[in-house]
Amino acid sequence: MSHFSPAVTDYWRGRFGRGTVAHSDDNFQLAVHSGLDGDEDEQLMVLVTVGGKTSVILSPDLADRVRIIDGQVISESDFRSGLDGADMALHGADNLFYFTDDARDALIAEPPIGDIRRLTAADDAIFTAFESVASEQDLDNSQVELDHWAVFGSFDNGRLVAAASIYQWYEAPIMDLGVVTLPRFRGQGHAKRLVRTAFRYACAQGYEPQYRCQVSNEASSALAPAAGLTLFGTLDVIAD
């Protein structure tokens, strides 16, 4: 069994335990929380852990649309049937990866590898040049930004060929990450080394690393375990 940091497990337990828990058993939990009404992206969230438990939290308005009634016994199939009946779609799940306790210890003890360094505002020119040759789709998918909490670049003969940035996940002690490599330099280990370097830095600052990508993104989903992370589960939200 994988052992993840309490920073991870406590965060998700708290995230989905807010409001009124309408149903909870070993396999399915559903909570209704009025505090979600002001945030469109989070009015409905679904977390499925690798252990097989599905947790749902949604706003009262959406609970009414899905026909969740106080005191009603509800199963996951009831919930998903309610979504279909209300013509409500989910965005498409993200994989959530974290380091296990042992893997994090190994990461922290590992010496730096590769031609990688921290990027700052002084690197604006080389970062702009890097962006100019990366595809718009790659940049949009990765969400790597020079003004994020910490940014790292991997170089090949002095040229920036891959970049990763980390930023705080809401107000949790967790750092999310984006990474992008120029196409002709893929398959050379740049992204893997960047992920480990950025996350080693996050650990040193007291944060828990989080790697998140669309389930449908096979390359990104393969990079996470290659970089030493373990799948925790999937997260989905209501579609726009």
Side-chain angles (χ1 to χ4, degrees), residues 161-175:
V161 298
S165 62
I166 51 178
Y167 46 91
Q168 190 170 10
W169 178 252
Y170 295 95
E171 296 180 357
I174 293 172
M175 283 288 165

Side-chain angles (χ1 to χ4, degrees), residues 26-27 43 66 83 94 143 151 162 172 190 197 200 226:
D26 290 342
N27 299 312
Q43 288 192 22
V66 180
L83 287 181
D94 281 350
Q143 296 293 300
V151 189
H190 290 286
T197 298
R200 188 182 304 111

Side-chain angles (χ1 to χ4, degrees), residues 34-231:
S34 60
L36 302 177
D37 281 335
D39 194 333
E40 292 184 6
D41 290 339
E42 297 187 2
Q43 288 192 22
L44 170 59
M45 296 185 290
V46 181
L47 175 71
V48 182
T49 62
V50 292
K53 182 169 183 175
T54 298
S55 299
V56 176
I57 188 167
L58 70 170
S59 69
D61 177 60
L62 295 188
D64 288 342
R65 289 176 58 188
V66 180
R67 299 186 180 279
I68 295 170
I69 303 169
D70 287 345
Q72 172 190 10
V73 176
I74 183 171
S75 66
E76 182 176 356
S77 61
D78 293 332
F79 163 70
R80 295 196 181 274
S81 294
L83 287 181
D84 292 338
D87 197 25
M88 292 165 55
L90 298 178
H91 180 270
D94 281 350
N95 280 324
L96 295 171
F97 294 90
Y98 299 97
F99 287 106
T100 62
D101 293 339
D102 289 344
R104 190 190 326 101
D105 290 343
L107 173 74
I108 294 170
E110 179 182 83
I113 301 173
D115 187 3
I116 294 174
R117 68 169 175 84
R118 182 100 177 258
L119 301 180
T120 69
D123 295 300
D124 181 69
I126 63 170
F127 190 79
T128 299
F130 170 79
E131 289 182 308
S132 71
V133 292
S135 73
E136 184 175 343
Q137 182 176 354
D138 284 345
L139 293 173
D140 185 59
N141 289 342
S142 66
Q143 296 293 300
V144 175
E145 303 288 347
L146 190 59
D147 61 356
H148 278 166
W149 185 74
V151 189
F152 295 85
S154 183
F155 293 80
D156 182 277
N157 291 320
R159 178 185 178 184
L160 179 63
V161 298
S165 62
I166 51 178
Y167 46 91
Q168 190 170 10
W169 178 252
Y170 295 95
E171 296 180 357
I174 293 172
M175 283 288 165
D176 203 29
L177 171 140
V179 60
V180 59
T181 304
L182 297 181
R184 63 174 285 203
F185 295 95
R186 290 173 184 167
Q188 300 176 28
H190 290 286
K192 175 183 174 179
R193 292 190 292 270
L194 271 174
V195 169
R196 292 186 69 79
T197 298
F199 280 161
R200 188 182 304 111
Y201 179 81
C203 289
Q205 304 304 311
Y207 291 93
E208 193 66 31
Q210 171 179 278
Y211 186 105
R212 182 173 51 92
C213 65
Q214 280 276 297
V215 171
S216 58
N217 189 333
E218 295 181 2
S220 190
S221 294
L223 172 59
L229 295 112
T230 297
L231 182 65

